[in-house]
Amino acid sequence: MTIWQEICSNQVLVSASVGWIVAQLLKTGIDMAFNRSFNPERLVGSGGMPSSHSSTVCALALSAALCYGVSSFEFAISFILAMVVMYDAMGVRRETGKQAKLLNSILLENPLKLNGVEFQEKLKEYVGHTPLQVVAGAVLGLLLALAINACYP
């Protein structure tokens, strides 16, 4: 069996990977619809609707539950990871994005000079998620894990 066959036979890995890919593609499409322009950073960047972090970890956890049962250590680890990731996305990472937005507006009005060189790098503002974005990502991940489970024997 080749390595690609082995990877594709791992339902948990496939579910989590598809969860991330589909969420990133949806996020890019939604961003294009609202801003009427293509932003390639949305394909791999964090933040936005739906949360690819939530989609990934929810697909991972549900797939682990379907493959190994809810009493398994695989599900336990996946579930705790999902809770930590989604909590962090709505908490610390969201606040970091708010601070970046404020700092960017301050630096726009008052450019900062470090060692005589003007600091012009804009801080990343799309870091965290709103609760709605996290829930949308979670639902997407759960639905994808169910769909992928139906494709495996």
Side-chain angles (χ1 to χ4, degrees):
M1 189 181 286
T2 69
I3 188 150
W4 288 111
Q5 289 172 322
E6 288 183 44
I7 288 171
C8 290
S9 69
N10 186 332
Q11 180 180 340
V12 177
L13 177 61
V14 169
S15 293
S17 299
V18 168
W20 182 80
I21 291 166
V22 170
Q24 287 298 123
L25 291 173
L26 282 172
K27 183 185 304 190
T28 303
I30 290 169
D31 184 70
M32 282 175 53
F34 278 102
N35 296 318
R36 302 199 189 283
S37 66
F38 174 68
N39 180 359
E41 192 274 331
R42 294 284 75 212
L43 285 171
V44 293
S46 58
M49 171 66 104
S51 167
S52 56
H53 289 88
S54 297
S55 180
T56 303
V57 294
C58 284
L60 176 78
L62 180 56
S63 189
L66 295 170
C67 289
Y68 305 110
V70 292
S71 63
S72 68
F73 77 90
E74 291 93 346
F75 172 72
I77 291 169
S78 300
F79 180 80
I80 296 301
L81 175 69
M83 294 300 104
V84 169
V85 166
M86 291 188 294
Y87 177 81
D88 183 61
M90 289 186 296
V92 175
R93 289 181 47 241
R94 185 169 179 216
E95 292 303 315
T96 300
K98 289 178 183 177
Q99 291 173 4
K101 188 177 273 191
L102 177 63
L103 287 171
N104 283 336
S105 68
I106 291 170
L107 288 173
L108 186 64
E109 294 174 15
N110 303 306
L112 176 67
K113 290 191 178 183
L114 298 172
N115 298 327
V117 178
E118 192 171 304
F119 181 78
Q120 293 186 0
E121 185 177 333
K122 188 175 180 184
L123 299 172
K124 190 173 175 184
E125 295 177 7
Y126 295 109
V127 183
H129 294 283
T130 65
L132 178 63
Q133 293 169 340
V134 169
V135 169
V139 170
L140 175 63
L142 295 172
L143 293 174
L144 289 170
L146 289 172
I148 289 168
N149 183 63
C151 297
Y152 278 80

